Every structure is written in C-alpha cells, then in structure tokens.
Amino acid sequence: MKKYILFDNDGVLVETENWYYEANKKALKQLGLNLQRDEYQEIMARGGTAWELAINAGITTEIIDKKRVQRDNYYQEFLHTKNLEIPNVKKVLKNLSKKYKMAIVTTSRRVEDYKRAKSYLEMLELFKALPEHTIVVEDS
C-alpha cells in the first residue's frame, strides 16, 4: 500500500523551466550568443548545459562564471515576478495530503536548505519509508 508521495518541483508543481531557459538566453545574449529553444531542449535532454555555446565560442571560464551569476539573478527575478502556477496543483495537493505523507525533492535550492542536489533515497530515510510504499512524481 502506498503511503508516501515524493514530488519533483520544477515542471511538476510549478512551471519554472521556461523562465530558466529565458534567463540563460538573456545572459548568453550579452556574450553575443543566441540560444534557440530547440537547441536548448536538445542540450538539456542529453544532460548538457546551455553554457556549451560559450565554451564552444572560446569564451573564458572567468567570463562564463560571471555570466552564470547574472543568469541566476535573472532567474530569481523571473521567479519573483512571473506566473509559475500550474492549474489545480494546490487543489490536488490538498486532496492528496489527506491520505499521503508528501515531500518535494528538487535540485532547485536555497543554500540554507541543503548543500547537495535532490536525493529520493535520503527522503525515504527521513520518512523511514520503504520504496514499495512510495510514489515518485517526476517530469524528467
């Protein structure tokens, strides 16, 4: 019997992926690079990084690192000013919370929350849950 649900955040509970693309695009444009959505999706699908464009263009690591910080600033601005809501998520979570213990397990982070990327296994330990009692909702 299932008792726990672990949710990915981005793309499952909130719609942030478009804004991450836009933040990358805006930062790369300042380097004279034009990141197209289809190109970005291909890079992400294979586990790459949008900064490959800058690396391939011969841009130094020092400049890339500074632009990544700028990208993060753009992304934070988008997260605070754009609509991230996925219709009916709050309603679904409220209904599920009546029957299941739930948690968000995500690579999105606030530094004060944790130091490493998401780990479903760590969350299972925290809940003292068995994998066979757990549902994972993930978009990737």
Side-chain angles (χ1 to χ4, degrees), residues 3-16:
K3 299 177 184 179
Y4 309 96
I5 304 175
L6 305 180
F7 292 94
D8 178 27
N9 189 49
D10 300 311
V12 172
L13 299 178
V14 291
E15 189 54 67
T16 56

Side-chain angles (χ1 to χ4, degrees), residues 52-74:
E52 293 171 19
L53 275 74
I55 293 166
N56 293 340
I59 296 171
T60 67
T61 302
E62 181 181 17
I63 292 172
I64 290 171
D65 289 345
K66 287 179 182 177
K67 282 300 166 190
R68 281 183 197 241
V69 170
Q70 187 64 55
R71 182 266 326 266
D72 292 345
N73 291 336
Y74 293 143

